[in-house]
Amino acid sequence: MPRTANATTPRQVRRLTAMAFFGPPLIIGLSLLIANPDWSGLGIIGGTVALIATMVMVMYAAPSGWLMVGGVVLGIASIAGPGLILQGEVLAHQGQQVDVRVTSVKTGHDKNGNPVYTCYLERVDGKPLKHNQMGGDFCDGPGSVGDTETVLVDPYGWSSPQPADTDYSGIDVAAGAIPVVLVLFELLVWRARVKGLRRTTAEGAGC
């Protein structure tokens, strides 16, 4: 990174890292939105923007290759993990098994041109089903229309349905990793602060 892009005084380092400290909890908070299909786009985009902003401030404060690599790894974990873990926690602890019927199938294509199917569902008991779409291995294609399956449903409508046989046995352990990632990310920002203060103090003393 060019020298002109670096913080040049301890005050600038303190200001940059003080703002960067808010980045990790913001990234994780936004990533929780991924558990809800209605908000998943905002969660991914918002988390990515927050990660980029955080790393820009860290690198201005203390340019370092290992800080950049560490921040990107922790940032990706902060974006990708919490939303899926929240979905698993919700369904593991309060999910309800309900019977659904496949009412229609939408056909799309992946980047290789292979067909990708999305099944649209309705509850057999006639109750409303929020987030009534499921794809992946659950949906076998147009021949699935009329089939009845059992799925796990969030009674509060936050998370999307999942196959009833989904294994959530390790979800509580995975949830325990979220605060660990947060602490490590904050320690990385703190390390950038210490490193930046040392550099700018030494440069100021050498002037």
Side-chain angles (χ1 to χ4, degrees):
M1 185 177 292
R3 184 180 178 84
T4 55
N6 301 340
T8 56
T9 66
R11 181 180 180 182
Q12 289 177 341
V13 171
R14 293 190 187 95
R15 182 178 300 172
L16 286 168
T17 52
M19 292 187 292
F21 276 123
F22 291 99
L26 178 60
I27 295 168
I28 290 177
L30 287 168
S31 72
L32 294 176
L33 297 176
I34 296 174
N36 186 323
D38 293 337
W39 297 95
S40 60
L42 176 61
I44 294 172
I45 295 173
T48 301
V49 170
L51 172 59
I52 292 172
T54 300
M55 292 313 303
V56 166
M57 289 184 284
V58 166
M59 296 310 296
Y60 270 40
S64 168
W66 74 266
L67 285 177
M68 172 62 79
V69 172
V72 170
V73 171
L74 291 171
I76 292 174
S78 299
I79 294 173
L84 296 178
I85 292 172
L86 174 61
Q87 181 187 60
E89 284 284 349
V90 168
L91 293 176
H93 296 292
Q94 65 183 32
Q96 299 175 351
Q97 290 192 5
V98 301
D99 292 331
V100 297
R101 182 182 298 107
V102 180
T103 59
S104 62
V105 175
K106 178 181 178 181
T107 303
H109 295 86
D110 61 18
K111 61 181 180 180
N112 297 318
N114 299 316
V116 177
Y117 303 113
T118 301
C119 284
Y120 289 80
L121 315 173
E122 67 177 8
R123 291 179 59 145
V124 173
D125 59 13
K127 294 181 181 180
L129 177 65
K130 195 170 184 181
H131 312 308
N132 64 337
Q133 303 175 26
M134 289 183 65
D137 294 337
F138 176 87
C139 190
D140 295 328
S144 299
V145 174
D147 289 353
T148 299
E149 302 285 350
T150 302
V151 298
L152 204 58
V153 172
D154 173 12
Y156 299 102
W158 174 263
S159 298
S160 58
Q162 296 297 318
D165 59 355
T166 303
D167 183 12
Y168 292 116
S169 58
I171 197 65
D172 290 337
V173 175
I178 296 178
V180 174
V181 171
L182 175 60
V183 170
L184 290 175
F185 209 157
E186 295 288 28
L187 286 175
L188 183 141
V189 177
W190 178 258
R191 178 57 184 165
R193 183 185 184 93
V194 172
K195 183 179 176 66
L197 289 174
R198 287 176 180 171
R199 175 181 59 81
T200 53
T201 300
E203 290 175 353
C207 293

